[in-house]
Amino acid sequence: MGKIFDYFISIIVAIILFFGLPLLYFSLKQDELTEVATSDIVSDFVDNVQTHGYLTKEMYEVFLEKLNTTNVIYNIHLKHKVLAIEPKYRLKTADEVKDDQNSAYKGKNIYTYREVKTEVPTVTDPVNTVNLNTETNESIMATAVNTPADPNHVHTKACYGGGDYDVNPDVWFNGGSGPSEWGPGNRVGTYYWVYMYCSHCGNMIATLTYEDNDQWDNASAYNFSSDQIQLGLSYMSNGISYSSCKCAFTKWETRWETTYTPPQDNWTFIEYKDGYFVYRRINPNWYSIYLPAMQKALSGSYYPDWLQAWEQLGFDPTYICPDCGSKLSLLCNQMVTSIVPTNPVQTVAVGERLITTVKLTYLDGSTKTVIATTNFSTVKITTSQTATLTYSYTVNGKSYSKNCNVTVTVVPKTKTCINGHTYNLNTDGSDPGCPYCKAWLKSLSVINPNTNSITIFKGTSLEDNGVSLLAIYLDGHKKYLYNGYVDNLDTNYVGSQNVTISYKGKYINLTVITKRNLKKCTVCGKYYELYPDGTDPGCPYCAAKIPIFTGSILKYYATTYSSKILDELYNGNGIYYFNTGDYFSIKVTNKSTTLGTRFMNFIVHNMPAINIQIEKGAPIRNGFNSTD
Amino acid sequence: MKLHHFSILFVIIAIVVFTITDIKTDRLVSIMKDKESLDLDFNNAIDSAARNLVEVDAAGSLVVNKETAVNDFLLSMYASLNLMNDDDKQKRLQNYIPVIVITCEDGYYLYYSDEYKRSDGFTYISKRWSEKIPYSYEDDDFIYSFTMNDTLTLYDKRRLLDTSGDQTVFTLDYHELSQDDQFENFRKQRPDSFLLNDDKFLQVRRKNIIEKIENSLAYYCNKHNSIAQQFGLSYKFALPVIDNSEWVRSIAGPSIVILFQGYPIGGGNIDTYNRYAIAGSEVTKKQIYYLEQKSWYYVYHKAGCPELKKDGIVILDTPYYSVLDCVKAGAYACPYCSGDTGICAPAYSP
């Protein structure tokens, strides 16, 4: 039993050892050799492809044939690495397109500067301050100088009031029968007496007697040439006895001492003429008597001159009012001969008083400045009106008035406002408000926009965009301006510009940023900007969808694998072309297990099945297209 | 004998067998690896040689830089074999290159080793260039000198071409012989001359050129044997069989043919590496591309693309000479003519 067992064991060992081992060994060796052979075949194939530059179906099949001879099934992986170059395209961003469009824009976008100027509104309010009266009545009066009387002045009857004043007393003649001159039929008698009595004091001044012979026919003159009247003395000369009184001979009365008593006549002194006092009877039938002027009788000589005589006698020639008989005084310093205004041309403000001072010239030559009155009202504004200055005065109870004319221009009153403007007040004195301040601006400011800049679209104006200004006038009132201001916005310019807005002479600046107009794209529906001159560049968003060439290329290795290559060989043209410079590689691995492995698997399980692994590659030398 | 005896015997034998097999396979593997690496080196070297072989000079004509090409090849080989610092080894490498042929338009040069005697009486061996050997062929009527293009130089032996004048040497395009009036006479006399037939002419020309080169190669290859011997190389250099299809490339334009033989590879120099390489360089006319403007991108077409003939498309005027230029201008590939090797535009409509 044991022997058979031994025998068995030995047989088995013998088999294993003597057959198995060499088998295993040689099969392993065979594998190695197969590998070498396969490697050779593959090398050959790769070389072939490398030199030819293409792979034909025949070449490949020959290769497969050769591989077949090794009795192993292989997995063949072909790999073709192509240097692929590809242009790189990218999509532009819309901004890039816009930049391109902008740089391609050949149009002009020029800013033209316009001068903007507004005028300050004209306000005419002429203020007449010329020749305004600077003085007042009071001031003139204060500085008036009154000149005294003219030393060369000679008193005349006018100096006593002029006109009808009696200077010398009337002569009452009273006497005998009168000549026919005294009355018709009164001539009687032989001689006549004329007694002259001073009507004032009643003293007899003169007595006139004369013979009948003398005819007093001459009604106008009785010439006592031979007779002399002596003042103050009573004497008789040629029938005239004289006496004197110390009065001023204002009135004499004559008394007749005859049977005929003629009415009492009054004789009025007419004048002193040519050495005669001329008297006239106050009677419808009047006569004039010429009495020679009495000479001074003091020394026995006669006064050729009546007044002279009186003065020498110490008489004061006075004037007597014929009505009241009161003595008249010298009035030549009260009688105004002329009146001249001190300020003939005046410009006075409304309501102000005129200068009514006038310069009076008296009869005796003296002047005086007084305040005259006028009823000229300075309420109304007039130009070169004539105002009458009236000066009333009283002399001896008689009132006189003198007038003179002044040219007056009444101007309205002016006022200066706080801003320094002078303007006329209303006629009634009310303040209409300074017209300058009303019309002129104090300041101009922009209220909308409330920042210093505004963004608008091209072609629109500032008014369209709601730019409004606030104008504050000098008098404080405010006005909002929505239009009507002047600006120098260049509506054709796109960009930022400094716009000057002006209204009524005030200027203000505003930064205006003009944007280009927009247009809606019909394709994509987005808004895009037009060129500054209005031409259409095309929608940048649509253009951005179009890829542009970046100018760079992608160089990469594209690998084609066996499936594609074989596809081309078998289903396509039958030739697969390579480019020079491509890399062709082939990897051959065994699919079926080789002999050796199979045997080895008996002993040691899970041996790696792939033990033939050949990988060869080569760059193609004579390919087609060169990518150089 | 017992089993255990057999086992021991077996083990002994097995070890021997296994070891030997191991060694052999390893050797094979190592040779294979070496071969692979050398192949790669050689490929790189020949590529660098071919790259600089031909260039277009200022006047527009082709210049074959044979020295540069060979230099490049050698430098590349030195670099990859790690011989940059070793002059001696560099020289030895050259011994493994029996001959290099550089073909030009109208002839070819050979680069081979030669012995020569210097003034000091010693014989030196060095590599040298031959003169240009034209592609000549002789038959009864003419002596031909072919070129790689259609030009042909004829020596008229029998005055067939120019009956009236004295001209015996003609340099012309071979088409002229069949078209030009002055050769009417010749055409009458030799109606079946291969000169008049395009196919035949091409065939003859190719055959002749290849033959000539092969002969030279064979000769100098053999010659190298004697020289190599002096270096201690016992390898027998011989011209390998080169397939006609391989030759085609070389005679299409200036090319370089390098024979590289006898290079020892494998762990203990057990095998030699033999390789020949033909690298033709063509100065290719650059492919002209035209750009067409599509909706938002450009597309480049090759010159003969049918898409260009369609109407209603916008084509730009400037031609581009390389795909890179086209792409730099922003063009994708035309799916019809360039879609295989270029990238087509993505489908996006704005």
Side-chain angles (χ1 to χ4, degrees), chain B residues 72-197:
Chain B
D72 283 344
F73 170 76
L74 289 173
L75 273 174
S76 179
M77 285 303 287
Y78 298 153
S80 45
L81 295 172
N82 240 348
L83 307 174
M84 289 307 276
N85 298 328
D86 205 335
D87 281 341
D88 205 33
K89 285 227 174 91
Q90 284 177 3
K91 282 220 174 61
R92 279 169 179 271
L93 182 71
Q94 296 206 20
N95 290 331
Y96 296 113
I97 306 171
V99 66
I100 297 178
V101 174
I102 294 196
T103 61
C104 302
E105 286 273 341
D106 49 354
Y108 60 96
Y109 296 93
L110 294 165
Y111 183 73
Y112 60 98
S113 311
D114 203 11
E115 290 177 325
Y116 65 98
K117 269 207 175 68
R118 253 211 246 170
S119 52
D120 54 4
F122 289 111
T123 316
Y124 289 90
I125 297 173
S126 76
K127 292 277 187 188
R128 53 179 283 225
W129 284 99
S130 73
E131 296 151 1
K132 188 183 252 186
I133 303 167
Y135 309 113
S136 57
Y137 170 71
E138 191 175 339
D139 70 0
D140 294 333
D141 297 329
F142 304 100
I143 301 178
Y144 306 87
S145 177
F146 292 110
T147 60
M148 287 185 178
N149 50 32
D150 292 338
T151 326
L152 180 64
T153 309
L154 293 168
Y155 176 75
D156 197 349
K157 287 200 283 193
R158 297 223 193 139
R159 284 175 167 273
L160 287 171
L161 293 176
D162 186 9
T163 47
S164 54
D166 286 322
Q167 194 175 359
T168 51
V169 179
F170 294 87
T171 307
L172 35 68
D173 186 320
Y174 79 94
H175 289 111
E176 288 177 31
L177 288 169
S178 41
Q179 289 159 6
D180 230 7
D181 288 334
Q182 67 180 105
F183 305 116
E184 193 62 43
N185 197 19
F186 164 74
R187 286 201 281 276
K188 282 200 203 119
Q189 291 191 323
R190 296 273 184 279
D192 356 306
S193 167
F194 71 91
L195 289 167
L196 300 168
N197 189 326

Side-chain angles (χ1 to χ4, degrees), chain A residues 10 17-18 25-26 29 33 36 39 50-51 84-85 87 89 545-547 549 553 556 579 616 621-622 625, chain B residues 3 10 17-18 22 25 28-29 32 36 43 47 249 296-298 324 327-328 330-332 341 343 348 350:
Chain A
S10 56
L17 213 55
F18 296 148
Y25 177 77
F26 284 113
K29 274 292 165 260
L33 291 173
V36 171
S39 175
Q50 185 189 32
T51 33
I85 47 176
Y89 279 80
K545 290 191 196 152
I546 298 170
F549 179 53
I553 54 178
Y556 58 93
N579 292 341
K616 288 207 200 295
R621 278 208 247 115
N622 295 317
N625 309 333
Chain B
L3 180 65
F10 167 77
V17 168
F18 288 171
D22 251 353
T25 34
L28 198 61
V29 169
M32 187 203 77
E36 267 178 37
N43 280 344
D47 273 343
R249 184 160 290 156
W296 53 269
Y297 57 94
Y298 294 106
L324 189 67
V327 172
K328 277 189 181 162
Y332 287 99
T341 47
I343 307 290
Y348 166 78

Side-chain angles (χ1 to χ4, degrees), chain A residues 181-365:
Chain A
E181 289 96 323
W182 296 335
N186 288 341
R187 203 175 169 137
V188 183
T190 45
Y191 61 91
Y192 301 93
W193 291 265
V194 175
Y195 296 102
M196 295 170 65
Y197 290 89
C198 174
S199 62
H200 198 251
C201 67
N203 291 341
M204 193 166 63
I205 301 172
T207 308
L208 300 174
T209 54
Y210 56 90
E211 296 284 332
D212 198 14
N213 302 338
D214 290 336
Q215 299 287 326
W216 286 357
D217 294 327
N218 191 2
S220 62
Y222 182 73
N223 192 4
F224 289 107
S225 60
S226 60
D227 297 334
Q228 293 160 353
I229 298 176
Q230 235 176 346
L231 270 180
L233 292 175
S234 169
Y235 70 96
M236 202 100 131
S237 171
N238 198 21
I240 301 174
S241 62
Y242 303 95
S243 67
S244 69
C245 77
K246 294 257 182 191
C247 297
F249 294 107
T250 57
K251 207 168 194 179
W252 286 353
E253 61 182 20
T254 55
R255 284 186 290 202
W256 288 98
E257 294 199 340
T258 57
T259 55
Y260 177 73
T261 310
Q264 300 277 332
D265 293 325
N266 289 332
W267 291 78
T268 313
F269 173 75
I270 305 295
E271 63 184 357
Y272 172 69
K273 183 177 172 186
D274 294 335
Y276 290 93
F277 291 108
V278 180
Y279 288 89
R280 189 170 63 217
R281 196 175 73 174
I282 302 172
N283 195 284
N285 301 317
W286 51 272
Y287 299 93
S288 296
I289 298 177
Y290 287 84
L291 297 176
M294 285 177 66
Q295 292 179 335
K296 183 167 183 182
L298 282 172
S299 61
S301 54
Y302 297 109
Y303 295 97
D305 189 81
W306 188 258
L307 279 172
Q308 211 172 3
W310 280 346
E311 279 167 17
Q312 280 199 320
L313 286 173
F315 286 134
D316 185 14
T318 57
Y319 289 86
I320 295 177
C321 169
D323 297 319
C324 65
S326 56
K327 221 167 152 182
L328 295 177
S329 42
L330 264 181
L331 298 173
C332 58
N333 63 348
Q334 287 180 35
M335 305 282 286
V336 178
T337 50
S338 72
I339 176 171
V340 169
T342 49
N343 301 60
V345 177
Q346 290 180 34
T347 308
V348 76
V350 163
E352 293 288 308
R353 292 183 306 163
L354 280 179
I355 297 176
T356 52
T357 48
V358 292
K359 193 163 165 186
L360 302 170
T361 311
Y362 290 103
L363 201 53
D364 63 351

Side-chain angles (χ1 to χ4, degrees), chain A residues 28-38, chain B residues 24-25 28-29:
Chain A
L28 283 171
K29 274 292 165 260
Q30 175 146 326
D31 281 354
E32 274 186 46
L33 291 173
T34 350
E35 189 168 344
V36 171
T38 319
Chain B
K24 283 222 154 79
T25 34
L28 198 61
V29 169

